[in-house]
Amino acid sequence: MESCNCIEPQWPAEELLMKYQYISDFFIALAYFSIPLELIYFVKKSSVFPYRWVLVQFGAFIVLCGATHLINLWTFSMHSRTVAVVMTTSKVLTAVVSCATALMLVHIIPDLLSVKTRELFLKNKAAELDREMGLIRTQEETGRHVRMLTHEIRSTLDRHTILKTTLVELGRTLALEECALWMPTRTGLELQLSYTLRQQNPVGYTVPIQLPVINQVFSSNRAMKISPNSPVARIRPIAGKYMPGEVVAVRVPLLHLSNFQINDWPELSTRRYALMVLMLPSDSARQWHVHELELVEVVADQVLNLIKPVASVKKLHVTLNLAQDLPECVIGDENRLMQTTLNVVGNAVKFSKEGSISITAFVAKSESLRDCRAPDFFPVTSDDHFYLRVQVKDSGQGINPQEIPKLFTKFAQTQTLATRNSSGSGLGLAICKRFVNLMEGHIWIESEGLGKGCTVIFIVKLRIPERSNESKSPLLPKANHGQSSFPGLKVLVLDDNGVSRMVTQGLLVHLGCDVTAVSSSDECLHMVSQEHKVLFIDVCMPDGFEAAVRLHEKFTKHHERPLIVALAGNTDKVTKENCMRVGMDGVILKPVSVDKMRSVLSDLLEHWVLFDAIEVEHWKAQHVIAKS
Amino acid sequence: MDVLSQLQRQLADFLASLYREGFVDDQFTQLQKLQDESSPDFVMEVVSLFFEDCEKLVNNMAKVLEQQVVDFKQVDSHVHQLKGSSSSIGAARIRNVCIAFKTFCEGQNREGCLRCLQQVNHEHAQLKANLQSLFTLERQIVAAGGSVPAMQ
């Protein structure tokens, strides 16, 4: 039976309208069939499309729609029942699939939209992390600056230098416009402007100490922001056009009483402070950050470790005895000797509440040179040098004899009552020991126990100038110049570069060593023996590190092999790791100066690990600190 | 003003100008410190060795760079040697040229390498002339009865 779903035909079948419908249906079908093909093509290309099965559903829906339109083409004219059946089936299927897809899209579309939101969120997070990384890196830099700064401060005990250095370095680290220190006057009623960063001679400008802002700052050990208009901050004329930079003030303790037993110290209530004021540059949007404030607090806490006020407050009796036979004029390292003496005397003063401190200096004779605690120390006197022995005896807290060996170790902190290096990082006596060793001497402490006082003794080697030296040029440098510091020390130098080898050899010969120079690792292993104490290897050589490894294999016992030192062109991480991997005892950065080589050899012969020290030297070379 | 102090002042000025213009740096000062009674010609010996070494390396590098196919690794190793030597004696300008030279080697840039080689030659000649004047001045001072103080 034939049927037709056309209404009573008012127009002939060939009419234009019919034709257009026909054509449109055809194109619709075409489009509908091609859309899923395109979708499949693109989805296959992309690797991240989570909803493949939705695509299938969608594809089916479209295909069926297309099929329906296609079959429609046959229904414009008379068609058989089969066609009708097919048409109906396709329509039913289309209905089912399209409803299912519609329902599914309700769930899917919000998800797809949220992907975009997630993307934006991740982008923001990445930017934030970037900023944090930058901050951490700056903090680390500043942290290193602080450590180096406090180390530098500790090694200069001149009060003026300490303060000037602090201001200069703080100014540089934090890029400050101005940095000033107000010290309390004798009366204690006023603060006087004593040191500033920018101005050469600050006028004796004073403010009363009882100002509320000053009380506020003195009441806490934190660094706090103060108004740029407060009297302590109005130090310089207004430089900027719009607004002055933020100002921070922190108290600086003048008496170092941390870690002491302070029960019976009456001075505690009259603790005196100085005021340090720091100003950010004006007209910049800079603000004080938390880590900068922390840096300021740390520096303020460490900077003033003055000896004189402590002694004068404590009423200690200090006596000095210089023996008659001490020569009038000697040649030696004035700077280091002074620092050692000041440090030792300073310790004595710090750790004695009352009583007396006696300092004696005399020429050491052979009996007094020996110390049973230092069996390796065999000093030999001769005509052109002598040993100076200095004893500093105090009547203070004393030390438990068992603690004595630890005192000279870097950074070691003992928690007992008599903590000699409790204030700060514990570097004082370690540095003294290093200096004394550089002067080919020895330093030790004797104490009968707690409460029985203590004596610090050090012996250093100094040179007596000969008569004929007076005619020579007066440009004698302070260090032990020309003196063979390491007489007859047998060393080996391995370097494949002729010029560099010659220079290193000349350097070591100048220091008095007995040098053998070789240019290949084979030759090195052939020549090296137990008599050689130190081996210098240029690690820029292709087989430099290999030579070190072979050396370790040759000498299995630690005390038989020479100490191995790497001469490196740079101290980057890779080089350092390689040096540690092959078991180097030290690394020196080329080019090497005479002083550096001398100090390195001294340290080595004390069996210290050098990596720390090289950091300090390297940093110092890069940052020239203002010294008076 | 007598001849000796005039000469000494000339020497000091000349040496200062060498430092200022970057011909030599701190390491050269260290070398001068190593010269004493036991090795009176140390600086001259080291410097002569350096110039010999430098000439040899430059010749080798020129030969390698002339080839059709340039073995940049070889050139690089020569530059490395020259850099090491020049650092050891404090020849600052030569060392700086070597640093640039190395970059060109790594980039396999023949034109750049040739330019650097020319520059090395130029700096070598200049430094040689300068140091020879320096040594002549020193000899004159010693002949006039004075001693040569270390600079800086």
Side-chain angles (χ1 to χ4, degrees):
Chain A
M1 199 148 101
E2 295 200 337
S3 67
C4 150
N5 66 345
C6 47
I7 350 165
E8 196 51 44
Q10 290 169 350
W11 301 282
E14 310 306 303
E15 179 57 56
L16 211 58
L17 215 58
M18 285 299 136
K19 248 198 196 132
Y20 275 135
Q21 275 208 7
Y22 202 82
I23 294 173
S24 316
D25 264 331
F26 176 70
F27 275 110
I28 288 175
L30 197 65
Y32 273 32
F33 282 136
S34 51
I35 286 178
L37 289 175
E38 285 171 12
L39 276 172
I40 291 173
Y41 173 69
F42 283 115
V43 168
K44 258 205 162 68
K45 279 191 91 177
S46 99
S47 51
V48 267
F49 194 78
Y51 303 114
R52 280 173 199 266
W53 59 271
V54 165
L55 218 58
V56 168
Q57 201 172 25
F58 204 65
F61 155 61
I62 288 207
V63 164
L64 284 168
C65 272
T68 314
H69 277 277
L70 193 66
I71 297 174
N72 227 2
L73 292 175
W74 274 266
T75 59
F76 284 119
S77 48
M78 300 288 279
H79 52 273
S80 63
R81 188 181 171 74
T82 334
V83 174
V85 166
V86 168
M87 182 74 195
T88 321
T89 328
S90 90
K91 272 202 175 156
V92 166
L93 282 172
T94 313
V96 167
V97 172
S98 37
C99 286
T101 312
L103 287 170
M104 215 37 62
L105 278 176
V106 169
H107 293 283
I108 298 297
I109 287 186
D111 245 346
L112 284 173
L113 287 176
S114 82
V115 165
K116 235 352 190 181
T117 330
R118 266 198 293 256
E119 186 189 317
L120 208 67
F121 173 71
L122 280 169
K123 231 195 271 194
N124 285 339
K125 258 295 177 192
E128 207 183 290
L129 273 170
D130 243 329
R131 277 196 298 273
E132 274 183 25
M133 268 310 292
L135 259 176
I136 289 176
R137 240 176 269 133
T138 332
Q139 271 177 338
E140 213 189 270
E141 263 291 309
T142 335
R144 254 183 19 153
H145 271 248
V146 171
R147 279 196 294 278
M148 296 307 173
L149 178 59
T150 47
H151 174 251
E152 185 61 30
I153 288 172
R154 295 197 150 274
S155 50
T156 6
L157 291 170
D158 169 43
R159 165 183 167 156
H160 180 76
T161 318
I162 292 177
L163 292 170
K164 201 71 190 160
T165 310
T166 313
L167 293 184
V168 165
E169 285 301 303
L170 262 182
R172 187 184 296 170
T173 309
L174 298 171
L176 300 173
E177 180 173 298
E178 178 61 273
C179 183
L181 191 67
W182 299 78
M183 302 280 283
T185 55
R186 276 196 188 284
T187 56
L189 294 173
E190 289 183 318
L191 284 181
Q192 184 173 32
L193 182 60
S194 316
Y195 298 89
T196 57
L197 181 60
R198 307 278 172 207
Q199 291 159 298
Q200 284 296 79
N201 295 311
V203 182
Y205 190 25
T206 59
V207 294
I209 208 171
Q210 288 300 329
L211 286 178
V213 60
I214 299 181
N215 279 334
Q216 196 190 10
V217 174
F218 280 0
S219 64
S220 141
N221 65 351
R222 312 300 310 266
M224 42 184 89
K225 295 194 196 147
I226 61 174
S227 155
N229 291 324
S230 61
V232 289
R234 272 195 258 121
I235 309 172
R236 44 193 285 117
I238 308 293
K241 273 203 300 202
Y242 302 110
M243 49 172 248
E246 289 195 347
V247 182
V248 148
V250 66
R251 75 178 187 191
V252 181
L254 287 179
L255 296 179
H256 226 98
L257 295 175
S258 53
N259 287 3
F260 274 81
Q261 291 285 20
I262 49 177
N263 316 19
D264 41 350
W265 279 84
E267 288 83 359
L268 181 57
S269 55
T270 58
R271 195 181 276 208
R272 279 148 56 98
Y273 297 110
L275 185 76
M276 186 154 61
V277 175
L278 304 114
M279 295 188 236
L280 288 179
S282 41
D283 288 348
S284 83
R286 257 187 75 184
Q287 292 189 324
W288 284 97
H289 296 286
V290 170
H291 68 271
E292 290 171 340
L293 292 179
E294 283 177 0
L295 188 156
V296 166
E297 283 161 14
V298 166
V299 171
D301 195 52
Q302 297 290 319
V303 76
L304 283 181
N305 206 347
L306 300 174
I307 305 165
K308 190 161 163 248
V310 180
S312 64
V313 164
K314 286 199 229 187
K315 298 187 187 31
L316 285 168
H317 192 60
V318 181
T319 54
L320 174 65
N321 285 320
L322 297 175
Q324 300 280 23
D325 57 354
L326 284 175
E328 243 186 65
C329 178
V330 298
I331 297 176
D333 190 342
E334 180 187 336
N335 212 357
R336 292 205 170 103
L337 189 55
M338 170 84 104
Q339 287 187 27
T340 310
T341 319
L342 281 176
N343 201 329
V344 167
V345 173
N347 275 344
V349 168
K350 238 196 300 185
F351 292 89
S352 309
K353 284 194 254 178
E354 58 190 358
S356 69
I357 297 178
S358 82
I359 308 171
T360 349
F362 52 91
V363 175
K365 304 290 187 298
S366 45
E367 330 78 47
S368 56
L369 287 174
R370 290 296 192 91
D371 172 36
C372 52
R373 265 163 297 227
D376 295 336
F377 189 57
F378 292 119
V380 175
T381 43
S382 75
D383 277 338
D384 59 350
H385 56 259
F386 74 104
Y387 284 86
L388 171 73
R389 179 178 164 125
V390 176
Q391 281 175 202
V392 178
K393 190 176 156 73
D394 69 56
S395 56
Q397 299 168 350
I399 305 176
N400 188 341
Q402 288 167 334
E403 301 280 340
I404 290 181
K406 286 196 219 155
L407 294 170
F408 290 105
T409 322
K410 255 187 195 175
F411 306 117
Q413 306 251 30
T414 52
Q415 295 303 318
T416 64
L417 187 71
T419 46
R420 288 249 143 184
N421 285 317
S422 57
S423 54
S425 51
L427 280 177
L429 275 177
I431 293 184
C432 285
K433 178 162 182 189
R434 180 169 158 186
F435 287 171
V436 167
N437 286 331
L438 280 176
M439 294 189 258
E440 297 178 58
H442 188 58
I443 180 171
W444 72 95
I445 300 183
E446 289 170 6
S447 172
E448 280 160 44
L450 295 174
K452 299 211 176 86
C454 146
T455 312
V456 179
I457 306 165
F458 64 88
I459 300 182
V460 292
K461 184 172 172 183
L462 297 170
R463 210 173 88 175
I464 310 171
E466 304 144 18
R467 294 280 152 194
S468 57
N469 269 1
E470 285 163 34
S471 61
K472 280 205 181 136
S473 93
L475 296 172
L476 280 176
K478 297 221 165 145
N480 287 343
H481 173 69
Q483 186 184 356
S484 67
S485 328
F486 311 99
L489 180 72
K490 268 179 102 77
V491 302
L492 194 66
V493 172
L494 170 58
D495 189 341
D496 66 345
N497 183 317
V499 174
S500 161
R501 190 171 61 238
M502 187 168 173
V503 171
T504 313
Q505 186 174 7
L507 179 54
L508 290 163
V509 163
H510 180 75
L511 290 174
C513 304
D514 173 1
V515 187
T516 318
V518 295
S519 58
S520 73
S521 72
D522 288 331
E523 216 185 319
C524 167
L525 280 151
H526 183 67
M527 300 285 293
V528 77
S529 73
Q530 282 194 27
E531 290 181 334
H532 291 108
K533 290 279 175 273
V534 188
L535 166 61
F536 291 93
I537 302 185
D538 179 327
V539 294
C540 303
M541 272 175 57
D543 51 352
F545 289 114
E546 188 206 309
V549 173
R550 284 167 77 182
L551 200 83
H552 273 282
E553 287 167 10
K554 180 165 175 179
F555 294 99
T556 43
K557 294 217 189 69
H558 187 269
H559 61 267
E560 280 175 15
R561 82 170 157 76
L563 295 166
I564 315 180
V565 178
L567 297 168
N570 59 58
T571 49
D572 62 14
K573 231 176 146 225
V574 175
T575 314
K576 268 205 232 167
E577 277 170 11
N578 276 331
C579 288
M580 291 210 244
R581 177 177 57 88
V582 302
M584 296 285 189
D585 294 300
V587 178
I588 310 182
L589 188 65
K590 285 204 294 193
V592 193
S593 69
V594 178
D595 293 330
K596 203 197 288 189
M597 183 61 96
R598 193 185 289 123
S599 84
V600 160
L601 280 176
S602 305
D603 282 346
L604 268 183
L605 300 175
E606 287 291 316
H607 297 293
W608 275 17
V609 174
L610 276 191
F611 289 101
D612 245 14
I614 299 301
E615 282 279 310
V616 175
E617 294 300 339
H618 193 53
W619 185 86
K620 269 195 191 168
Q622 286 176 328
H623 299 75
V624 176
I625 299 176
K627 279 194 198 294
S628 57
Chain B
M1 194 175 350
D2 68 318
V3 180
L4 181 59
S5 40
Q6 222 175 358
L7 282 173
Q8 278 175 330
R9 211 177 17 154
Q10 224 182 334
L11 176 70
D13 288 338
F14 187 59
L15 205 48
S17 76
L18 287 183
Y19 281 102
R20 216 177 21 244
E21 291 170 26
F23 281 107
V24 293
D25 63 17
D26 227 15
Q27 182 60 10
F28 192 69
T29 324
Q30 295 297 323
L31 273 193
Q32 286 182 315
K33 279 196 196 165
L34 300 181
Q35 188 158 294
D36 53 24
E37 302 84 42
S38 54
S39 43
D41 292 317
F42 182 69
V43 181
M44 193 156 23
E45 285 167 11
V46 176
V47 164
S48 312
L49 180 63
F50 170 70
F51 286 132
E52 270 175 40
D53 211 31
C54 186
E55 269 177 48
K56 217 176 14 179
L57 285 170
V58 165
N59 285 337
N60 285 344
M61 284 194 273
K63 278 202 206 101
V64 176
L65 283 168
E66 271 168 26
Q67 309 275 336
Q68 281 284 22
V69 181
V70 178
D71 182 358
F72 282 100
K73 273 206 159 57
Q74 227 190 341
V75 182
D76 187 77
S77 86
H78 287 322
V79 174
H80 184 78
Q81 285 278 337
L82 186 60
K83 183 167 162 233
S85 314
S86 53
S87 307
S88 308
I89 71 156
R93 282 202 185 181
I94 299 186
R95 188 195 67 231
N96 290 339
V97 177
C98 286
I99 296 176
F101 205 151
K102 239 181 188 280
T103 326
F104 285 125
C105 282
E106 282 160 22
Q108 311 230 339
N109 181 341
R110 183 199 250 183
E111 284 309 309
C113 286
L114 283 170
R115 264 200 311 256
C116 280
L117 192 64
Q118 237 184 344
Q119 235 182 326
V120 168
N121 252 335
H122 175 70
E123 292 298 339
H124 167 106
Q126 267 199 312
L127 187 65
K128 201 167 180 176
N130 278 328
L131 288 181
Q132 259 164 3
S133 314
L134 187 76
F135 293 140
T136 314
L137 263 176
E138 283 183 357
R139 266 198 300 272
Q140 282 176 334
I141 291 180
V142 171
S147 64
V148 182
M151 184 62 181
Q152 289 181 9

